Amino acid sequence: MQIYSPNYPLSIPGQQTCEYVIDVNEGSQASIKFTTYDCKSGTTLSFFDGLNSNQPYLTFTSDSPILNQPYSATTNVMKIVFSANDTTIPVGTGWEAEFAEL
């Protein structure tokens, strides 16, 4: 299955924060890989292990995750928070990702 940044593949409006939750079968691991990524300065993409975690286990700030490389949670739930809130101008065309159950 696929998820997208706001307004993908058009410009991401500034001052956006979106939260995504990937929930797969219990006993499995949630995993995501990015197939495209075009985000400029002022964007943050953070990954959390489960819904109750306050500390991301991985964060990208204006740089790209490695395309087509899986990033996995240790549980069946992964929360992803994407922010483009440092500017009011567009910050790239965004990203497309595929998520899976491992």
Side-chain angles (χ1 to χ4, degrees), residues 1-22:
M1 304 250 308
Q2 295 179 309
I3 59 174
Y4 307 91
S5 60
N7 211 35
Y8 180 84
L10 305 175
S11 294
I12 300 169
Q15 299 184 350
Q16 293 281 319
T17 299
C18 295
E19 186 174 300
Y20 305 83
V21 176
I22 299 171

Side-chain angles (χ1 to χ4, degrees), residues 5-68:
S5 60
N7 211 35
Y8 180 84
L10 305 175
S11 294
I12 300 169
Q15 299 184 350
Q16 293 281 319
T17 299
C18 295
E19 186 174 300
Y20 305 83
V21 176
I22 299 171
D23 189 352
V24 298
N25 290 320
E26 198 164 325
S28 298
Q29 290 177 288
S31 179
I32 190 168
K33 67 178 180 177
F34 292 85
T35 55
T36 60
Y37 194 88
D38 175 39
C39 297
K40 309 288 188 254
S41 179
T43 61
T44 303
L45 185 64
S46 300
F47 298 84
F48 298 83
D49 212 0
L51 292 177
N52 297 323
S53 176
N54 293 326
Q55 185 68 31
Y57 68 87
L58 181 63
T59 299
F60 295 101
T61 55
S62 305
D63 54 354
S64 298
I66 298 170
L67 296 182
N68 296 309

